[in-house]
Structures are given as C-alpha cells and as structure tokens.
C-alpha cells in the first residue's frame, strides 16, 4: 500500500512538472483605479474621433516587425486630473496594433478605440432584444508625460489597454425585456 501511494505521488509530481513545460504565461501587473489615478499626470474622459495608422514604431524594437503605430484623436469631455488639456480640447494619443496576420501568445495588451456606433443583439430564454445601435463609448484615459513631452498610457505602451476604460451610457431597461 505504501508503495502504491509513493507511485501515485510521483505520478502527480511528474504530471505537474510536465504540464509546466507546456503552459506559459506572462505575469501582468495589477493596475487598480487607485494606482492608475495616483501614477497619472493626466486623467481625462474623452470621445474618440478618428484613428489613423502612423509611422511611429514601438519603443522596444523587437516588436517593430509585428506592430503598426496608430494615432487616435480625441475630444476631451472632462479633465479629471492635470491641467495640460481643457474640456473641449482635442488631443492625440499614439498607440499600436498588431499587423494584419500577426498572432502572438503572451503578447501585448493593446488598446483599440471605437469611433462609431455599433449594433448589439441579445437572444436567450430570459431576454430577446435587438438594440439597433449603441453610441460609441467614451473613454477614461490614465496618462503620464513621457520624456519626449507626449502623453503615454500609465501602464506603458506594451499593455496600453490597462490604462484605458470604456464608458457606456446605460441601455434602456425596456431594450432588454422580452416582448
């Protein structure tokens, strides 16, 4: 009996060690609202106006072949922290996206900004709704001033999505009720 227990323990240990070889993940920092706000030089609520590809390259040159620079222009709705921009101003943020056809594992958490309304449909036992259009969200951006004087996401370019929060207007309660 003791022998079979030892074999079982060794079997479990071997399975755990073998699976560790096949599982890989990178650790991602925790960016709570408190930390984002504390480390930000600028916190603003904005509406994305347009996104265009840019000639910017990522600070880490090893990603230059996989990423495309983008510049998104925003209209500032409300400045929460900082005084670099005023309500009603426009500002531009440089960020990156994966090139078409590029896939990664454990890659960057890149941000994508919605500039147009979109459609939501919900089907199920409890709900049956077809909300024709939902307005494009606003965004809460947590930014810091870079050495070059531009604003960049507090969480850095590699995990820029962690410094961006989407804000949506509440859906009408009647839109989610089954007729």
């Amino acid at each position: 009996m003791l022998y079979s227990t030892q074999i079982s323990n060794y079997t479990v240990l071997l399975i755990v060690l073998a699976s560790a070889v096949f599982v890989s993940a990178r650790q991602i920092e925790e960016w709570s609202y408190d930390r984002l706000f504390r480390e930000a030089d600028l916190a603003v609520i904005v509406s994305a106006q347009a996104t265009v590809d840019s000639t910017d390259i990522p600070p880490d040159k090893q990603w230059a072949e996989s990423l495309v620079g983008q510049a998104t222009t925003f209209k500032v709705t409300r400045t929460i922290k900082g005084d670099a921009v005023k309500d009603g101003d426009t500002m531009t943020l440089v960020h990156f996206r994966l090139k078409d056809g590029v896939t990664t594992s454990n890659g960057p958490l890149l941000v994508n900004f919605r500039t147009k309304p979109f459609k939501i449909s919900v089907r199920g036992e409890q709900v049956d709704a077809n909300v024709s259009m939902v307005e494009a969200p606003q965004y809460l951006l947590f930014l810091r001033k870079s050495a070059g004087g531009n604003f960049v996401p507090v969480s850095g370019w590699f995990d820029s999505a962690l410094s961006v929060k989407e804000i949506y207007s509440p859906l009408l309660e009647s839109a989610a009720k089954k007729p």
Side-chain angles (χ1 to χ4, degrees):
M1 187 75 156
L2 182 60
Y3 181 71
S4 66
T5 304
Q6 286 177 329
I7 291 176
S8 295
N9 289 342
Y10 288 124
T11 304
V12 169
L13 181 61
L14 279 173
I15 291 170
V16 168
L17 290 175
S19 65
V21 172
F22 300 110
V23 176
S24 65
R26 69 180 178 92
Q27 188 171 358
I28 298 173
E29 288 184 67
E30 180 183 344
W31 286 93
S32 66
Y33 278 100
D34 286 340
R35 181 179 178 198
L36 287 166
F37 192 78
R38 185 175 58 252
E39 294 189 24
D41 296 319
L42 181 66
V44 289
I45 297 175
V46 296
S47 296
Q49 304 298 298
T51 299
V52 296
D53 286 350
S54 72
T55 57
D56 293 281
I57 56 171
D60 185 342
K61 305 295 186 245
Q62 78 176 16
W63 286 94
E65 295 298 317
S66 301
L67 300 176
V68 173
Q70 293 193 296
T72 299
T73 303
F74 300 95
K75 182 172 183 179
V76 177
T77 303
R78 177 71 61 199
T79 302
I80 299 171
K81 180 181 181 183
D83 58 6
V85 296
K86 304 291 182 221
D87 298 354
D89 285 355
T90 59
M91 62 179 291
T92 301
L93 179 67
V94 172
H95 55 99
F96 300 91
R97 69 169 172 83
L98 288 174
K99 287 184 178 177
D100 293 337
V102 172
T103 58
T104 67
S105 61
N106 296 324
L109 297 174
L110 303 172
V111 68
N112 179 36
F113 296 102
R114 302 173 205 275
T115 58
K116 295 182 169 81
F118 57 95
K119 185 176 182 176
I120 294 180
S121 296
V122 180
R123 302 274 184 252
E125 283 185 37
Q126 301 298 318
V127 295
D128 188 5
N130 193 4
V131 179
S132 60
M133 294 301 265
V134 174
E135 65 186 47
Q138 289 189 313
Y139 294 92
L140 174 54
L141 305 180
F142 295 95
L143 308 171
R144 65 176 169 77
K145 198 159 209 151
S146 71
N150 297 325
F151 284 101
V152 296
V154 168
S155 58
W157 73 270
F158 194 78
D159 288 332
S160 58
L162 300 175
S163 295
V164 176
K165 307 298 179 190
E166 286 188 354
I167 304 171
Y168 290 93
S169 296
L171 293 176
L172 297 175
E173 188 176 319
S174 60
K177 289 184 179 176
K178 196 170 187 171

